[in-house]
Amino acid sequence: MKNIESIVERARALPERKIALAGANEIDSLIALEQARVQGIADGVLVGDEKKIRAEAEKAGVDVSNYEIVHEPDVKKISAVAVSIIKQGRADALMKGLVSTSPFLRAIIGSEGGLMTSELLSHIAVFEVPGYHKVLGVTDAAINITPTLQEKVSIINNAVSVFQKLGIEKPKVACVCAVEKVNPGKMPCTEDAAVISGMNRTGQIRGAIVDGPFGLDNAINAGAAKLKKITDIVAGDADIILCPNIESANILYKALAYLAGCDCGAIVIGTSAPVILTSRADSDRTKFASIALGIAVS
């Protein structure tokens, strides 16, 4: 999978889906959904305050007559209403618009009528990085704050499932830390990385090649790996970067998106329906790519 356009093409080849957009009074989300509709990827149900939705759609140049609008003026209820639309079979995927992340995730996790199916929800962003030879996954930049060892294993399993659905049979996962050597006591993430690598070698983590710890440089740059005499198969060729915590993952996400200007799609994994979760500040281009990613791996 070389670029984001490859993911978009994969989504276009599938039957059109319907997305419940929670908090649809947000210009970039509306533009992204309209682009998906025009390209035959996804139709939509717009959930939120109808007056605000219509006002923002007019600014965006989006004709709302092409969509169903579900009026819900209470911002605290919008996400739950959007989830219920999916549970009723009226939509196939969920997308975050102008709603806060906390109630959005609570609606997904909710014991009554939620969408959670796996032991852990996690977030993955898939980037097209200029100069890198394939798309690059970064996880988890949005949900798990300080994941435990076992939670990191679940995050890896979730991310691997996405890449397998994109046609990468055995993705390479790099457990990235500040250094590529185990530093007992002082850098617990390096110890976790070594344990996770061992779990992969003994078959406790399947469907991927997992190794670490790596520095970011030798995980994605073959020259840096060679200089440091790192010969592991993952070195310089990672498909997925597992970050040690949400801070490092979120900083990497935003550095790639805003400093490097990389195209990106982002979703939540571990649900019964695709969940498109992007930052409020993300562009309509990123939100469209996220829709395509969610549909492509559904």
Side-chain angles (χ1 to χ4, degrees):
M1 189 64 63
K2 289 187 176 181
N3 50 36
I4 294 295
E5 182 57 31
S6 301
I7 295 172
V8 173
E9 290 174 2
R10 199 175 187 93
R12 284 196 200 103
L14 295 172
E16 185 179 79
R17 308 298 172 86
K18 183 167 283 191
I19 294 172
L21 176 56
N25 54 304
E26 197 275 312
I27 288 180
D28 288 327
S29 295
L30 285 166
I31 292 172
L33 183 57
E34 175 69 2
Q35 187 177 356
R37 186 190 69 81
V38 170
Q39 295 195 33
I41 293 171
D43 193 0
V45 179
L46 310 181
V47 185
D49 186 302
E50 183 170 357
K51 184 177 179 180
K52 292 179 180 179
I53 291 171
R54 290 185 178 277
E56 294 304 304
E58 186 174 354
K59 292 178 190 176
V62 173
D63 183 358
V64 293
S65 67
N66 291 314
Y67 300 93
E68 176 187 356
I69 298 177
V70 175
H71 178 59
E72 178 48 73
D74 189 340
V75 294
K76 295 180 180 178
K77 296 180 180 178
I78 289 172
S79 296
V81 170
V83 168
S84 71
I85 289 170
I86 293 170
K87 299 292 285 187
Q88 293 164 17
R90 294 162 54 199
D92 309 295
L94 177 68
M95 181 175 180
K96 178 182 175 291
L98 194 59
V99 291
S100 298
T101 301
S102 294
F104 183 78
L105 292 177
R106 280 199 298 271
I108 295 169
I109 296 169
S111 57
E112 295 183 10
L115 301 176
M116 188 170 177
T117 55
S118 72
E119 59 188 24
L120 187 80
L121 291 182
S122 60
H123 179 270
I124 186 164
V126 178
F127 285 92
E128 179 182 333
V129 183
Y132 200 58
H133 53 288
K134 55 185 173 181
V135 295
L136 181 68
V138 174
T139 191
D140 174 346
I143 298 178
N144 296 285
I145 297 172
T146 309
T148 64
L149 173 64
Q150 190 53 52
E151 286 171 341
K152 288 177 181 178
V153 172
S154 295
I155 291 168
I156 288 171
N157 288 334
N158 282 350
V160 166
S161 72
V162 168
F163 272 69
Q164 287 177 334
K165 289 175 182 175
L166 291 175
I168 301 163
E169 186 177 345
K170 205 163 188 177
K172 298 171 184 174
V173 182
C175 302
V176 165
C177 304
V179 295
E180 58 277 350
K181 294 182 179 180
V182 178
N183 191 338
K186 293 184 178 181
M187 290 187 175
C189 68
T190 63
E191 296 177 275
D192 284 355
V195 172
I196 289 169
S197 177
M199 292 174 70
N200 179 238
R201 285 195 296 271
T202 57
Q204 292 170 271
I205 301 173
R206 299 177 181 275
I209 303 168
V210 186
D211 208 351
F214 287 103
L216 179 62
D217 55 350
N218 44 69
I220 60 171
N221 186 284
K226 186 177 180 180
L227 282 171
K228 292 187 177 182
K229 298 181 180 179
I230 301 170
T231 58
D232 182 87
I233 191 172
V234 176
D237 194 38
D239 293 294
I240 299 165
I241 299 296
L242 173 72
C243 294
N245 51 40
I246 199 170
E247 288 94 346
S248 56
N250 195 272
I251 290 167
L252 178 56
Y253 176 106
K254 288 174 179 172
L256 288 171
Y258 296 103
L259 285 176
C262 300
D263 285 340
C264 164
I267 59 173
V268 173
I269 325 158
T271 56
S272 58
V275 175
I276 296 120
L277 175 60
T278 57
S279 170
R280 188 177 299 179
D282 281 335
S283 67
D284 61 273
R285 185 181 179 92
T286 292
K287 292 177 181 182
F288 168 71
S290 300
I291 291 172
L293 176 62
I295 300 306
V297 303
S298 62

